Amino acid sequence: MIIDLSDEQKAFTEAVDDFCRREAGTREQRGDSPHHPGLYRKMADLGWLGVTVAEEYGGSGAGMLDTCLFLERVGYGQAPVGGFTTSAIVAAAVQRSGSGEQKKTVLGGLVNGRVYAIAMSEPEAGSDVANLSCRAVRTGDGWIVNGQKTWCSNAHIADAILLVARTSGSPGEHTGLTMLLVPADAPGLRINGIETMGGKEVNDLYFTDVHLPADAVVGNVDKGWQQLMAGLNVERLILAALMLGTAQRAFDDALDFIKQRKQFGRPVGSFQALRHRVADLATEIECCRLLVQRVATLTDRDPHQVLPRESSMVKLKTTEVARQVALAGMQMMGGYGYATEYDMERHVRATLVSTIYGGTSEIQRDIIGKTYGL
């Protein structure tokens, strides 16, 4: 399926590209943090953070295709607004299942530049989401939460965290999970950063008798698993679109380098070994772009339809290709690809983790296989 972008969509992507060149075109502008609050605020002022939000809550009311176009250009432009991805995922969950007041708070907050995080993984429950044990117990006036979460992206910069906790049943069961909104500064919640290759992005969360009001529940009690499954298309498309932009940037950076770098009296890109590698990578990226656009278009046609096969395919293919492109770019650039003077080492760090978060490549393959009756 080849998507012809409208004039408005083309103008939008060009505007994002221009912004990223002006505001995040150098290492000095981007800084070392994955999230730059000032840059994020400027995007909010331009109305771009509301691309995922319905008009009644201050957003543009655009669909997933426009969201993917935005994320692709942000990834390509290396804009350090890492808080947007988790915020968009949380906003989508609240838009689907939240109360009117929750929608005003979270969706309006995203439009105005607030950051949100989602906490699912635990030390003994990563890919095995059913094994969650962090528990919320009902009290007379709300809930008391105790337990631990880990690998929670952006919790340290978030205003609130969408917690997936067990409210009934035992670890190992998909039933009995509930989504609750937790203020990041809630008494009893401790957030500890985890140092990673990509800097400070993820966190351990410790809940000790954290009290939440009854209206903290997002959607229905004990129905969190079904609500999470309804959001698969959005979450995986968001991650895929961002990595599509990163893959294209890594490719273009490598291409520019091998056109100029000379060995044996001519540009290294003129050697057949690199020409063929470039051809293969370019073809793979274009396949990913078409897949992202197709799944986004299917989602826009019916936002309530869950696409387990297609959403897993788009996440699997695009993140694997992004990693392949970045590693190949580093190899083609030789020692310069490893040097911090160039952006390629940053592309490598960004793409390596993309095949892990949001559901590992192995889990995506397993899901795809199951859709074929295996």
Side-chain angles (χ1 to χ4, degrees):
M1 178 185 299
I2 299 176
I3 304 298
D4 292 324
L5 302 183
S6 67
D7 291 341
E8 291 80 5
Q9 288 170 328
K10 291 176 183 177
F12 177 48
T13 59
E14 290 170 1
V16 177
D17 283 341
D18 180 64
F19 176 90
C20 291
R21 280 192 297 269
R22 288 185 289 104
E23 301 288 344
T26 67
R27 281 173 145 331
E28 291 72 25
Q29 289 175 306
R30 293 192 293 270
D32 297 324
S33 173
H35 184 81
H36 190 297
L39 215 59
Y40 195 65
R41 169 58 60 186
K42 289 182 179 180
M43 285 190 171
D45 292 342
L46 289 166
W48 294 346
L49 302 186
V51 68
T52 65
V53 176
E55 291 183 33
E56 61 185 301
Y57 300 107
S60 65
M64 279 309 301
L65 179 56
D66 289 72
T67 301
C68 288
L69 292 173
F70 173 66
L71 284 161
E72 179 185 351
R73 302 326 301 167
V74 165
Y76 186 85
Q78 302 181 89
V81 289
F84 179 77
T85 52
T86 53
S87 299
I89 291 169
V90 171
V94 171
Q95 190 158 274
R96 283 191 309 274
S97 306
S99 66
E101 192 59 36
Q102 288 170 341
K103 290 177 182 179
K104 289 179 184 177
T105 300
V106 174
L107 303 183
L110 174 57
V111 171
N112 291 313
R114 296 189 181 278
V115 174
Y116 300 96
I118 182 168
M120 284 193 289
S121 294
E122 298 178 7
E124 298 300 324
S127 298
D128 184 11
V129 178
N131 202 37
L132 296 181
S133 61
C134 178
R135 187 170 288 272
V137 177
R138 196 189 299 267
T139 66
D141 60 346
W143 301 86
I144 296 292
V145 180
N146 283 282
Q148 180 184 352
K149 293 291 180 178
T150 192
W151 306 118
C152 183
S153 299
N154 299 317
H156 59 295
I157 59 173
D159 286 88
I161 298 160
L162 183 63
L163 169 69
V164 183
R166 182 161 294 285
T167 46
S168 68
S170 303
E173 301 175 355
H174 286 115
T175 57
L177 301 179
T178 300
M179 299 197 298
L180 303 105
L181 271 176
V182 183
D185 59 356
L189 170 58
R190 179 161 54 94
I191 300 173
N192 286 359
I194 301 172
E195 294 297 328
T196 71
M197 292 172 61
K200 189 173 182 180
E201 302 173 289
V202 293
N203 307 268
D204 283 316
L205 274 56
Y206 300 92
F207 296 85
T208 305
D209 293 333
V210 175
H211 179 266
L212 299 175
D215 61 4
V217 172
V218 177
N220 299 312
V221 175
D222 291 342
K223 300 297 183 182
W225 176 254
Q226 294 92 321
Q227 292 169 193
L228 288 170
M229 292 303 98
L232 289 181
N233 302 353
V234 172
E235 178 181 0
R236 291 173 182 168
L237 273 168
I238 284 172
L239 300 176
L242 186 66
M243 282 301 108
L244 172 60
T246 304
Q248 188 67 64
R249 182 56 179 258
F251 176 87
D252 287 354
D253 286 354
L255 185 61
D256 288 344
F257 183 88
I258 65 174
K259 284 181 176 179
Q260 298 176 39
R261 172 68 170 165
K262 291 184 178 180
Q263 290 288 278
F264 306 104
R266 56 178 170 143
V268 296
S270 66
F271 292 100
Q272 186 182 69
L274 295 195
R275 281 207 313 271
H276 287 189
R277 181 178 287 171
V278 165
D280 288 342
L281 295 176
T283 302
E284 289 293 296
I285 291 172
E286 192 59 26
C287 289
C288 290
R289 180 169 289 110
L290 293 174
L291 185 56
V292 167
Q293 293 182 351
R294 176 176 183 270
V295 178
T297 301
L298 291 175
T299 300
D300 284 339
R301 286 180 182 173
D302 184 0
H304 301 292
Q305 179 186 20
V306 179
L307 303 167
R309 178 185 298 171
E310 293 84 352
S311 64
S312 287
M313 283 180 171
V314 74
K315 202 277 179 180
L316 170 66
K317 180 65 174 178
T318 309
T319 57
E320 288 285 342
V321 167
R323 181 175 65 173
Q324 177 189 0
V325 172
L327 288 171
M330 178 174 281
Q331 188 70 26
M332 289 189 286
M333 290 176 66
Y336 293 103
Y338 191 66
T340 57
E341 177 185 356
Y342 293 86
D343 288 325
M344 193 58 67
E345 57 85 24
R346 179 176 289 193
H347 300 328
V348 169
R349 287 188 281 117
T351 57
L352 285 178
V353 73
S354 72
T355 62
I356 299 172
Y357 61 43
T360 65
S361 291
E362 290 76 14
I363 289 295
Q364 305 307 326
R365 291 186 177 98
D366 202 48
I367 292 170
I368 296 166
K370 287 180 179 179
T371 68
Y372 286 101
L374 302 176

